[in-house]
Amino acid sequence: MTDDAETDPQDAIDSESQRRRDGLDDRIFEHSAGDEQEGIPFVGAGPGDPRLLTVAGAELLEVADLVVHAGSLVNSELIEEYCAHAKLVNSVGKDLEELIPLMRDAYEGGDNVVRLHSGDPAIYGAALEQMDALEHEGVPTYFVPGVTSAFAASATLRTQLTLNEVANHVAFTRPRGRTLTEADDHISDFVEMGDVTTCIYLGTHAVRDTMDRLLEDDHDPETPVAVIYHASWPDEDVIVGSIGNIADKVEKAGYRASALVVVGDAVTGAGYERSFLYGDWATGGSASSETAGETEAGDD
């Protein structure tokens, strides 16, 4: 164990990054997602509704002694249902210098520790820096996937994010700000491609600015946009409009956070073409059964 005073998360992150440059972790070849593993699991709580927590996540929470959770980003109903027996620590407002020794000491003391992130920790979760700092302290960690809000939004909208002849690609992105510079903001590029469903995370506060920039770049103001506030939560709200009018609608509703913005024709689900999956082509009319099997696994 390392004394708290000696814990420097930034040094740990730098060291672990260098280790990755030198070679892949052997555990990549030993475990798959869903495996029970040694260490602290970083669990995705899902978008909000407790029923959208994965079975693996639920099993880990039910035997946890300590749950470090993402505060109000995780539905309190989920906390009450799965974590009431455990010691709870809200990570909001705490830095790595506080969180890493807390989780390390609990784990080394024999506790089952779960780090609970909202959505899926792999999407804007800032999980890897915590995991690297813990690994540097000798504490193994691993991911347990969750349902990200884009998938909950798709279910709410009763459409697919990918649709044949409408949207062949999906982009997970965020607007410019402290994290993203103007040069790193590619929202306009994604929209310009035409067949991309652009899912904007962490951008509710910037809807006006984002849409204004899209209009400045001569994007069609009638391009569909949906803003799904608290997807799958009891107070979920859906605002549907276009690049030209969605900012007014969001400002009228008063939302400044906790909504996913979806841009593209897949928002309405209109105009898609029938896929090859269920036609003669897939069932042997003009393709071998081997090719048909590949199509079923990968087509829309």
Side-chain angles (χ1 to χ4, degrees), residues 113-137:
V113 180
V114 172
R115 179 64 167 106
L116 187 62
H117 277 251
S118 60
D120 184 307
I123 304 293
Y124 299 117
L128 197 58
E129 61 198 60
Q130 300 169 70
M131 299 170 82
D132 277 352
L134 285 165
E135 294 276 350
H136 195 69
E137 295 284 319

Side-chain angles (χ1 to χ4, degrees), residues 66-281:
L66 170 65
V67 176
V68 180
H69 62 90
S72 61
L73 295 177
V74 177
N75 193 336
S76 60
E77 293 180 7
L78 185 151
I79 297 291
E80 292 169 4
E81 183 171 350
Y82 291 101
C83 310
H85 60 284
K87 178 182 178 182
L88 301 173
V89 174
N90 185 340
S91 64
V92 176
K94 295 180 174 60
D95 57 24
L96 293 181
E97 285 74 8
E98 183 175 358
L99 289 173
I100 300 309
L102 170 72
M103 291 188 283
R104 178 202 66 202
D105 291 350
Y107 178 79
E108 292 182 344
D111 286 347
N112 291 321
V113 180
V114 172
R115 179 64 167 106
L116 187 62
H117 277 251
S118 60
D120 184 307
I123 304 293
Y124 299 117
L128 197 58
E129 61 198 60
Q130 300 169 70
M131 299 170 82
D132 277 352
L134 285 165
E135 294 276 350
H136 195 69
E137 295 284 319
V139 177
T141 62
Y142 61 99
F143 281 107
V144 177
V147 177
T148 188
S149 58
F151 299 152
S154 174
T156 289
L157 292 171
R158 307 181 73 84
T159 187
Q160 297 178 201
L161 298 178
T162 60
L163 283 168
N164 195 30
E165 299 299 325
V166 172
N168 294 307
H169 315 279
V170 180
F172 291 170
T173 187
R174 63 187 301 179
R176 67 181 65 170
R178 287 184 299 175
T179 301
L180 227 62
T181 66
E182 181 176 350
D184 294 327
D185 180 350
H186 299 301
I187 293 174
S188 185
D189 299 326
F190 295 139
V191 175
E192 184 177 1
M193 292 176 187
D195 64 342
V196 177
T197 302
T198 304
C199 301
I200 305 172
Y201 287 72
L202 306 171
T204 318
H205 67 287
V207 169
R208 170 73 66 186
D209 178 63
T210 300
M211 297 305 140
D212 284 349
R213 287 188 285 106
L214 290 176
L215 292 172
E216 290 171 4
D217 289 343
D218 294 324
H219 293 295
D220 184 354
E222 298 302 316
T223 301
V225 180
V227 175
I228 302 90
Y229 171 77
H230 262 180
S232 85
W233 292 59
D235 60 345
E236 176 186 83
D237 192 15
V238 179
I239 303 173
V240 179
S242 66
I243 288 176
N245 64 24
I246 196 68
D248 289 338
K249 294 184 176 186
V250 171
E251 288 175 2
K252 183 177 180 180
Y255 300 134
R256 294 280 299 168
S258 303
L260 184 86
V261 181
V262 184
V263 183
D265 289 329
V267 165
T268 65
Y272 70 91
E273 297 291 334
R274 178 174 174 172
S275 72
F276 295 119
L277 183 55
Y278 304 111
D280 291 341
W281 187 86

